[in-house]
Each structure stands twice: as C-alpha cells, then as structure tokens.
Amino acid sequence: MLLWTSLVPEPNDPRKAKWITAAHRPSGQEAWQITFDATTPVELLHDIHADLLDLYLEDRHSDQDRLYGDETAPYEAYAPLLTRGWSHDVKTDGTQTFLAPEGLGGVRHRYAPGFLHGLAWRAWGGCLSEPHWQARFSSGTPTTLVAAFTASLISTEPVRRTAKDVPFYTRHHLNISTATAKQPPGYSPAAPPPAGPRPGRTR
C-alpha cells in the first residue's frame, strides 16, 4: 500500500492551493483521494490524518484491509451532524445534504448505488455559493475517515484564531473564550458547570 499527502500549489493564488491525500493499491492504481482547499482549518486536517494513521497501523498489524475495504456505514459519518441539529435534505438524484444550523457549512453525500466512481462526499465552510474552504472525498475513501472529519467539524473544542483568519461575514457567529491557567491536581470549582450540551459551531 502507498499513502501520501502533498500540497499542490497555485502560483497565482496561494489560497487556491490544494492538500491531496491519496491511497494507491500495490498495483499502483489509485484507490481513493481526499482533496482539501489550502484554507481548510488545520484542526480538520490534523484529525483526519490522525485517524488515517490509526487505520494504517491497524491494517499493518492485523489481517484487516480497512484502507481499501472499510465496512463502516455512511450513517456513522452523518449521524453526529443530525444530533447537533443540522438539517437533512434528500434528493431523488442520489444525494443528501446536511446544513449547519447557522447556515455556514454543509456536507453532501452521494448515496445512490450508481455512483461507483468520482465524488462521494463533499464538505464546505461558509456559504455554499462562495465557500471559504471545501473538502472532497472520492468514492472508495474509508467512511471511518469521513466520520473522523465530520466529528472534527462539529467539535466544540475552542480553537486559536486571529481576526484576519476569520471571514468578516462569519465573525458575529463566534463564541470567544479566554485561555485559563492550568489548575493544580485535586482542584475543583466551587460550583459544577451547568449540565447540558455545549453550543455547536462549524470550524
């Protein structure tokens, strides 16, 4: 098996460069490919590559072949979106679309059996008409990796950003948190935090 990730530059516009992650069979034939815009949040790239490494190590130390024959159901990739309040729209053309509650991100899945080649999943951040970033997963991409991506996409863990990193039209959706000092072992707050889910956000 051969796995690689590379940055394909765009000389005239660095924002249009692409990160490409691909897997090739021993014969040299490409099995699947994931493409990320250079503007894709680094946390998404990190999380999917962490899962990719896990899959690779599992395959290497067992008789499994999940990099080329993952049996994870597509539902595993989009169920977390539904639990976070994302809308769900199904078309008769064999696609289903999930949109973030605030309308600033989405995931589209081609579910029809006829789609054996080409794009299987597509995700974007920002408005669909002019997304800030996009990710594309070809047919054959392990659904486990797509699930890792969607889990990262709806993560509520704070991320570090400067003002210039955040598109102007999305800034009013931000939840700002301040860094807190590490507490000594055994420390507990005077009152526990309120129960309930934390508000979601799309990276």
Side-chain angles (χ1 to χ4, degrees):
M1 70 181 71
L2 175 63
L3 290 169
W4 57 266
T5 295
S6 64
L7 178 65
V8 179
E10 175 59 50
N12 298 326
D13 188 352
R15 290 175 55 87
K16 292 184 178 178
K18 306 285 185 193
W19 284 104
I20 298 177
T21 297
H24 290 256
R25 299 184 185 278
S27 64
Q29 179 186 9
E30 185 175 275
W32 51 263
Q33 183 182 105
I34 307 172
T35 304
F36 304 97
D37 290 350
T39 48
T40 303
V42 66
E43 294 83 9
L44 297 175
L45 295 170
H46 171 274
D47 292 348
I48 200 169
H49 281 88
D51 259 64
L52 178 59
L53 177 59
D54 288 344
L55 272 185
Y56 170 79
L57 293 175
E58 284 178 23
D59 282 2
R60 187 174 180 185
H61 299 294
S62 72
D63 58 356
Q64 299 185 78
D65 198 14
R66 296 180 64 196
L67 282 172
Y68 303 118
D70 184 26
E71 295 181 358
T72 303
Y75 181 78
E76 298 291 335
Y78 58 73
L81 304 177
L82 298 175
T83 62
R84 285 291 173 84
W86 286 45
S87 66
H88 180 212
D89 180 56
V90 181
K91 299 287 188 186
T92 56
D93 66 356
T95 63
Q96 55 184 341
T97 304
F98 306 86
L99 295 176
E102 71 281 0
L104 292 176
V107 173
R108 182 163 290 156
H109 173 225
R110 289 190 180 273
Y111 64 84
F115 292 111
L116 299 178
H117 304 287
L119 191 66
W121 299 84
R122 176 186 169 207
W124 64 90
C127 300
L128 177 57
S129 59
E130 194 174 349
H132 182 59
W133 59 263
Q134 294 188 77
R136 301 166 185 87
F137 302 78
S138 76
S139 295
T141 302
T143 306
T144 298
L145 297 182
V146 183
F149 179 87
T150 55
S152 181
L153 184 65
I154 61 174
S155 170
T156 57
E157 184 178 347
V159 295
R160 292 181 180 272
R161 293 289 186 272
T162 63
K164 68 176 184 174
D165 293 328
V166 182
F168 181 78
Y169 66 91
T170 66
R171 292 180 186 175
H172 65 285
H173 291 281
L174 288 177
N175 291 319
I176 299 176
S177 63
T178 56
T180 56
K182 241 183 181 177
Q183 301 297 338
Y187 172 85
S188 62
R198 297 168 64 186
R201 60 107 173 89
T202 304
R203 293 188 188 270

